[in-house]
Amino acid sequence: MASVPIIPDSYNHVLAEFECLDPLLSALRLDSSRLKCTCIAVSKRWLALGSSGGGLNLIQKDGWKQRLFLAHKEGAISRVACCLHDEDYVAVATSQGLVVVWELNQERRGKPERIYVSSEHKGRKVTALCWDTAALRVFVGDHVGKVSAIKINTSKQGKAAATFVMFPVQIITTVDSRVVQLDYLDGRLLISSLTRTYLCDTEREKFWKIGNKERDGEFGACFFPVGKNSVNQQPLIYCARPGSRMWEVNFDGEVQSTHQFKQLLSSPPLPVVTLRLDPHYTSSSCSPQSLSFPKLLYLAEHCVMTWTERGIYIFLPQSVQVLLWSEVKDIQDVAVYKSELFCLHTNGKVVHLSLLLVDRCIERLIRRGFWTLAARVCCLFQNSIISCRARKNLPLDKLEHLKSQLDASTQQDLITQMEELISKLEPLDSACSSRRSSISSHESFSILDSGIYRVISRRGSQSDEDSCSLHSQTFSEDERLKEFPAHQEDEQVELDNVSHASVTVEADRNETFLPFSIPLSFRSPSPLVSLQAVKESVSSFVRKTTEKIGTLHISPDTRGRQEAKDDEPLQELTVSLVASPQEEKELEPQSCQLPEEDYLRDLNAATAEAIAKLQDPLVLLEPQCMRRVLQEWLIYLEEKFGSKEHYASSIKKSKTVCVEEEREVLEENPRLDPTDGDPSDKEQSILKDCSENTDDTCVSKNMCENSTDLKGPLDSCFQVSPPCVIEPDVQKDLVELTTLCFELRVFSCGNGEAEESSDGSLPLSASWTLACRFMRSYFFLLDLKRLKQCIITMYSTIPNVWETYIAGLKELTCHSPVALAMENEDMLKILKQLHDLGPWDDSPLLLVHAQRLYEKFGETALRPLIKFHPSILPSDIKQLCRNDPAHFLAYLDSLVKSKPEDKRSSLLRSLLQPESVRLDWLCLAVSHDAPQRTNTVDAEGNPRPRSHLFTWGYSQLILLLIKLPADFVTKEKMADICKAHGFWPGYLFLCLELDRRIEAFTNIAHLDDLSLLNGEDGSIPETIEEWKFLLRLAQNHSTTFHHHGPQNGKVVSNGSPSCPDCITVENVALLLAKAIGPNRALPLLQECGLTLELSERFTGVCEILRIAEKRQRALIQSMLERCDRFLWSQQA
């Protein structure tokens, strides 16, 4: 028997046709040569079919029973659209360009009636119809690019509603070419033409062009609604582009990314499941398809579908995947509702397809009795059926029943294929049991989501004759895991995140204490006996499992790392099962609690003592005392977790000096009692003292004696996990004290003396060097969030400290799924993986993944990171790309623009922490993607004419920074920055805000643009003195501006009619006459001696102003008289 090609398991959806609509078309007589179906639309209730004879057939989808026929004498039906939120309304476009809106009156069981006929597009071809998603409004587009909206008044609203809508037809816009597709969502109208896509805010009447690159041809666009669970996310927009590409656009019309599907479409097409033909699949790949998508339609389950003359294509655009594509030829139009597709072919035929999971499709075929087709689909999609999810709908008994319905005489090959499929399946409750079958009854595996093999030892089953052990062997893995305390489960989650060696089989450290949390009958009452039994059980478990685990796949990289660390002390929480007898002896103290307590007894006592001392208010308020307490405690930390060489060289002198200085402090403060104190305000006082004081500790007396000792530890590896098991409460105190040491710069680096400054602090070079080594040595005991904030505030000018911090995070996450995917996956898949692993809150682990993305993909990786705000802040991004500030600026601009306009200022204000970064960001914004300073500022420092019209790449960001509230000094500094770089719009705004109006008028005269003198921003003169000053400026600069040198505008002489927006005497005089009236303006001009420079144009304009003023006064007088007569008549 020839082998049948099998569809890969990555495809688990299929298009299926369960019923043929040909009899329906025959009953409607739409299958003849004279009449055929010309357009199609669908809703929850109706299937609408327009015909070439001008009739509209409405068929009820439930049983295809009820039918309404709406006749039109205005020509054939070219477009039809059903109102989805109120299915009592249908809009129809005819071949003559008329749009007819029908009210079906189904609720009142009345006859359908026309409620409006629009002739706005008469004589043109209507190419698109679209209903509003909330109101009764229809959007219409035609072949010349005109888009209109029809507001519907219905009998449901009552007769009074008609008086409130005077103009039911509204012209939205006229685009540059034929309208290809319209879509509407949440107040936004999407218009796709032959050249580009436009976004229209119908409420505020604003328009945006999406993207900068044009196109030529039919390309669709559609909205992509967010799911019900995504409350804070805005909808997306997808626009078709040439070459099988799509733009992903946010709801503000800004292109976020471009998705390329050309290579993904090289896979072979999936068959359409239909009763007409047997499904056939060819496994050979085809060439990449470069296609143009004429329309994009949103499907259920976050899919976007389109079609060409070759077939139907369904994409998952957010993950850049092709869900499926199938060959369906000669499609004219497609209408969709949820997962249903109604395809209209060029010959007038209509095909009803459904997008289903493969198992659902097979289940429906079996339910309808299509046995042969169901069996063939099973054989083609057997990879998907074998998966556990599909088997929930297709259990073994159902597949056996399907096989039994086949004819043994004529379908033997199909029966054989079904038998092979069934033989590959196991009962659902024993799935994956083969992985555990080779392991003894005392051990089992569980595979975590990260890929780690986790060994679970059934230590209770030491004897098959013991009833308790037999009972414990019947526990499922889930039941046994429930026996752990809740805090141990949390620790295991953290452990899985830290230890990512997916090929090293490790034992859960918490399971070492499993016998103490399960009431077993054979448990010894003596703790020592129980501990000894646990040790023996672990050792036996390790020996028996070594050979079995050795068969598991181990990558070369992990094997190399494991061999390299064989001679080092154990540095991870988990226990490697591949161990030598000598290593087993090292593991024994970690498997029992009493030796561990003895090992850390001194450190625990010192920690408790230090915590008690730090709770004393007298210590909290004295930074030197805090440092001495921490330095004394740090000796014990170095003894247990520091390097042995360093500890041996520094312990004697360091301990002596610190104890003596502590005694001196206690003598000077006899009231100092370590047992008293209130720790409630500890953190605030620590941070305050940390920022106001320098390092005055005994560490300066015993650190850095040998300068060569500084270099060695900087090159050592990070200690990212504890070398032994630490109780959670103890570890919490250790993390608090270790982080406090870093924040107060209490470090230790060997013995000797270093040069100190006058206030007792270490030199900056020694400080950052010690900080780096401190992080490497005690990274597992540092609060990563506080550590990051401390580095940003205290070591912002020293990049080495930040690089060390990032290196530690990389070491911590080197085996995470994201880090492993970084080598092979593309950026979009990695970003999706990061999104799926969320929410991240403010976890520093997300920051290191962002660092990896930036190192691999550069600036393009920064813009998508705005989706992770506020987990990643601009201050973090600035640290990532400190070598290229332009990248940080692009990220900041994208982050601000990702929010609606009314929320951008509040967002930016929340990001300005501390306030001093405002000036730094402003300097970056005015110095990048900006015009040359020589083009905006002349040799004397004045503005060049029309230089305010230059394009600044970050002008929106600059204006937002300028307009945010700030103190007077900051505003002055921002004004100086804008003036120095020639950003004149911002400088003029700040001058007016700082009440430097004379300076603002002077610069406006230099800029030579009369439009800057407007009343909207207060730049128009307010007093007679300001008008006189502006007139003198116009007189002095007129000759220079309009007769000498190149400029950014038109060069014309004073008073020329072709110069209506230049700063000339006549133009300023006209502005004066409009502001205060011609009768008051003339005496002022005569006083300044400027009447001789005025032309006849000025005189004519003044006469017109006088006439208009008289008529306006007469009109006001007439209206007042009428009101007066009306009021008197009401009294009578």
Side-chain angles (χ1 to χ4, degrees), residues 648-941:
S649 62
S650 63
I651 180 60
K652 296 181 179 180
K653 185 172 183 178
S654 175
K655 190 170 183 179
T656 303
V657 172
C658 290
V659 170
E660 290 177 356
E661 293 192 358
E662 178 66 17
R663 187 181 299 112
E664 293 175 1
V665 174
L666 293 175
E667 291 175 357
E668 295 175 359
N669 301 277
R671 295 177 58 190
L672 195 124
D673 186 1
T675 61
D676 299 333
D678 183 9
S680 60
D681 298 330
K682 179 175 66 174
E683 183 174 354
Q684 293 184 356
S685 62
I686 288 171
L687 294 178
K688 180 179 179 181
D689 294 334
C690 180
S691 62
E692 296 178 356
N693 298 280
T694 55
D695 305 335
D696 187 13
T697 66
C698 62
V699 66
S700 61
K701 298 181 180 294
N702 53 62
M703 278 186 176
C704 309
E705 183 177 279
N706 188 359
S707 60
T708 59
D709 185 51
L710 295 176
K711 298 179 181 179
L714 291 177
D715 299 330
S716 61
C717 296
F718 280 88
Q719 185 85 357
V720 296
S721 58
C724 61
V725 178
I726 305 175
E727 291 294 327
D729 295 337
V730 176
Q731 185 167 5
K732 180 181 178 181
D733 294 337
L734 291 177
V735 169
E736 176 66 27
L737 293 178
T738 309
T739 307
L740 194 57
C741 285
F742 190 90
E743 291 172 340
L744 294 176
R745 302 184 189 178
V746 179
F747 308 125
S748 179
C749 64
N751 56 355
E753 296 182 0
E755 292 186 11
E756 298 179 0
S757 61
S758 59
D759 57 355
S761 61
L762 287 172
L764 185 62
S765 59
S767 176
W768 74 258
T769 308
L770 300 178
C772 294
R773 185 171 59 184
F774 190 85
M775 279 192 288
R776 290 178 181 271
S777 300
Y778 306 111
F779 200 79
F780 67 99
L781 290 178
L782 288 169
D783 188 325
L784 298 181
K785 298 178 184 178
R786 289 169 56 186
L787 181 64
K788 182 189 75 171
Q789 189 62 33
C790 181
I791 293 173
I792 292 176
T793 54
M794 298 174 60
Y795 297 98
S796 58
T797 59
I798 304 177
N800 304 71
V801 182
W802 177 265
E803 291 174 356
T804 305
Y805 174 68
I806 292 297
L809 293 177
K810 287 183 177 179
E811 182 73 18
L812 183 64
T813 60
C814 61
H815 300 300
S816 67
V818 179
L820 298 176
M822 200 73 67
E823 301 177 0
N824 304 319
E825 302 292 343
D826 58 9
M827 185 178 67
L828 294 176
K829 291 184 178 179
I830 297 172
L831 289 170
K832 183 179 182 301
Q833 190 175 14
L834 285 175
H835 184 270
D836 294 340
L837 291 174
W840 291 91
D841 296 330
D842 53 349
S843 172
L845 300 183
L846 177 61
L847 179 63
V848 72
H849 296 317
Q851 174 75 34
R852 290 190 176 101
L853 280 170
Y854 179 66
E855 291 174 354
K856 183 173 183 180
F857 300 103
E859 182 186 3
T860 56
L862 293 181
R863 296 182 186 270
L865 293 179
I866 63 178
K867 298 180 180 179
F868 297 98
H869 178 269
S871 298
I872 295 182
L873 297 173
S875 57
D876 303 329
I877 300 297
K878 191 174 182 181
Q879 289 289 338
L880 296 186
C881 49
R882 59 186 175 276
N883 297 327
D884 199 337
H887 294 176
F888 162 72
L889 204 58
Y891 166 82
L892 181 62
D893 188 60
S894 300
L895 176 62
V896 173
K897 290 181 178 179
S898 65
K899 303 297 181 182
E901 291 184 7
D902 56 340
K903 297 182 180 179
R904 292 177 181 176
S905 296
S906 59
L907 170 67
L908 191 59
R909 191 171 185 179
S910 66
L911 299 177
L912 295 176
Q913 301 295 334
E915 185 69 22
S916 58
V917 301
R918 182 202 300 255
L919 298 178
D920 298 336
W921 292 1
L922 181 61
C923 291
L924 284 176
V926 297
S927 57
H928 288 81
D929 198 6
Q932 296 291 330
R933 188 176 184 276
T934 55
N935 294 333
T936 58
V937 183
D938 60 17
E940 300 177 358

Side-chain angles (χ1 to χ4, degrees), residues 8-244:
D9 57 357
S10 58
Y11 296 102
N12 51 13
H13 285 75
V14 68
L15 289 175
E17 181 187 14
F18 295 105
E19 50 193 356
C20 180
L21 297 184
D22 290 346
L24 175 65
L25 297 179
S26 298
L28 299 175
R29 298 182 180 179
L30 292 178
D31 57 350
S32 63
S33 58
R34 187 178 63 88
L35 283 179
K36 71 173 185 177
C37 188
T38 56
C39 57
I40 189 171
V42 66
S43 65
K44 180 180 180 180
R45 181 179 183 183
W46 301 108
L47 173 64
L49 301 176
S51 69
S52 57
L56 178 66
N57 295 276
L58 289 171
I59 302 98
Q60 192 171 1
K61 289 166 55 180
D62 186 11
W64 313 107
K65 297 178 181 179
Q66 184 180 1
R67 172 197 167 201
L68 294 177
F69 183 79
L70 308 178
H72 301 81
K73 299 179 181 179
E74 295 84 0
I77 307 298
S78 60
R79 292 287 165 186
V80 60
C82 300
C83 182
L84 297 181
H85 62 87
D86 191 341
E87 294 190 287
D88 213 26
Y89 298 92
V90 178
V92 176
T94 68
S95 58
Q96 297 180 6
L98 299 178
V99 179
V100 182
V101 181
W102 289 83
E103 184 177 3
L104 304 181
N105 294 322
Q106 291 296 296
E107 296 178 358
R108 295 176 293 181
R109 299 184 181 274
K111 293 183 178 180
E113 59 179 337
R114 296 188 180 196
I115 56 176
Y116 191 80
V117 178
S118 171
S119 59
E120 188 65 40
H121 301 269
K122 187 175 182 179
R124 300 174 181 176
K125 181 180 179 181
V126 175
T127 55
L129 285 179
C130 175
W131 279 90
D132 193 317
T133 55
L136 290 178
R137 181 169 53 169
V138 185
F139 298 97
V140 187
D142 60 28
H143 76 286
V144 298
K146 187 176 183 179
V147 180
S148 66
I150 304 173
K151 177 67 176 178
I152 307 302
N153 298 315
T154 70
S155 58
K156 295 181 181 180
Q157 298 171 330
K159 296 182 179 179
T163 60
F164 291 97
V165 184
M166 300 177 59
F167 306 101
V169 178
Q170 177 188 4
I171 304 301
I172 300 295
T173 186
T174 300
V175 296
D176 52 2
S177 58
R178 176 163 63 92
V179 176
V180 176
Q181 186 177 359
L182 296 175
D183 199 7
Y184 185 87
L185 182 67
D186 295 344
R188 302 287 175 94
L189 177 64
L190 194 63
I191 306 171
S192 181
S193 69
L194 294 176
T195 56
R196 62 170 66 247
T197 304
Y198 302 85
L199 183 62
C200 169
D201 189 332
T202 58
E203 296 175 358
R204 294 186 292 178
E205 297 183 358
K206 291 187 177 181
F207 296 86
W208 299 272
K209 292 181 179 179
I210 296 180
N212 297 321
K213 296 181 180 180
E214 294 188 353
R215 62 202 184 190
D216 185 15
E218 291 192 1
F219 296 92
C222 71
F223 286 106
F224 193 89
V226 296
K228 296 180 180 179
N229 297 330
S230 305
V231 180
N232 297 325
Q233 294 184 4
Q234 287 187 323
L236 297 175
I237 301 171
Y238 286 99
C239 304
R241 297 292 299 167
S244 301

